[in-house]
């Protein structure tokens, strides 16, 4: 069955960096685009970034463009989100997502940006 397991979250000061990972299993990883979403307390889940199956094409939400980088390692069935210049408003639970005939989500990893 499809499994997505996020890791790498934590507490970081404003201006700091974190790298999130999402380990995928149960499907042909390289055939599918992968996305990151986030959900802050009291807010709806929002799109962050997407990478195509090959890894050659990426897309970002306006709020993170220039600060976050999505990438993938198809040999390791893993997608990454490098987050730089973090701001308090980046505080959220970050989720990995893949869409097939169904929307699959990981359990999320908490990112807190605070001094």
């Amino acid at each position: 069955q499809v499994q997505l397991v996020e890791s790498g979250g934590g507490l970081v000061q404003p201006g700091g960096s974190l790298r999130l990972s999402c380990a995928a299993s149960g499907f042909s990883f390289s055939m599918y685009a992968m996305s990151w979403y986030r959900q802050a307390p009291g807010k709806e889940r929002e799109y962050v970034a997407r990478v195509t199956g090959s890894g050659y094409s990426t897309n970002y939400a306006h709020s993170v463009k220039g600060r976050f980088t999505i990438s993938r390692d198809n040999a390791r069935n893993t997608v990454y989100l490098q987050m730089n210049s973090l701001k308090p408003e980046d505080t959220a639970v970050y989720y990995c997502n893949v869409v097939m005939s169904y929307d699959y989500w990981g359990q999320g990893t908490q990112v807190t940006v605070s001094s």
Side-chain angles (χ1 to χ4, degrees), residues 18-20 33-38 46-52 55-72 79-84 90 94:
L18 279 176
R19 188 176 83 153
L20 306 184
M34 299 294 297
S35 300
W36 286 96
Y37 285 73
R38 67 186 181 186
E46 66 173 1
Y47 167 78
V48 175
R50 181 180 182 270
V51 61
T52 56
Y56 290 140
S57 182
T58 58
N59 180 268
Y60 298 91
H62 177 75
S63 58
V64 306
K65 201 166 188 177
R67 300 187 299 121
F68 290 11
T69 302
I70 188 171
S71 63
R72 65 191 296 158
V79 61
Y80 304 99
L81 186 68
Q82 177 67 44
M83 307 186 294
N84 299 329
D90 294 318
Y94 284 71

Side-chain angles (χ1 to χ4, degrees), residues 18-110:
L18 279 176
R19 188 176 83 153
L20 306 184
S21 299
C22 171
S25 61
F27 63 102
S28 296
F29 182 72
S30 64
M31 293 182 61
Y32 292 91
M34 299 294 297
S35 300
W36 286 96
Y37 285 73
R38 67 186 181 186
Q39 187 167 20
K43 295 188 176 181
E44 293 191 353
R45 192 169 297 188
E46 66 173 1
Y47 167 78
V48 175
R50 181 180 182 270
V51 61
T52 56
S54 66
Y56 290 140
S57 182
T58 58
N59 180 268
Y60 298 91
H62 177 75
S63 58
V64 306
K65 201 166 188 177
R67 300 187 299 121
F68 290 11
T69 302
I70 188 171
S71 63
R72 65 191 296 158
D73 183 342
N74 285 344
R76 296 179 183 270
N77 284 8
T78 302
V79 61
Y80 304 99
L81 186 68
Q82 177 67 44
M83 307 186 294
N84 299 329
S85 302
L86 283 160
K87 305 175 181 180
E89 51 264 42
D90 294 318
T91 295
V93 178
Y94 284 71
Y95 297 91
C96 184
N97 168 264
V98 63
V99 179
M100 294 180 237
S101 57
Y102 182 76
D103 246 332
Y104 291 93
W105 300 91
Q107 83 288 350
T109 186
Q110 175 70 48

Side-chain angles (χ1 to χ4, degrees), residues 4-17:
L4 302 172
V5 180
E6 301 96 335
S7 61
L11 173 64
V12 62
Q13 292 188 341
S17 298

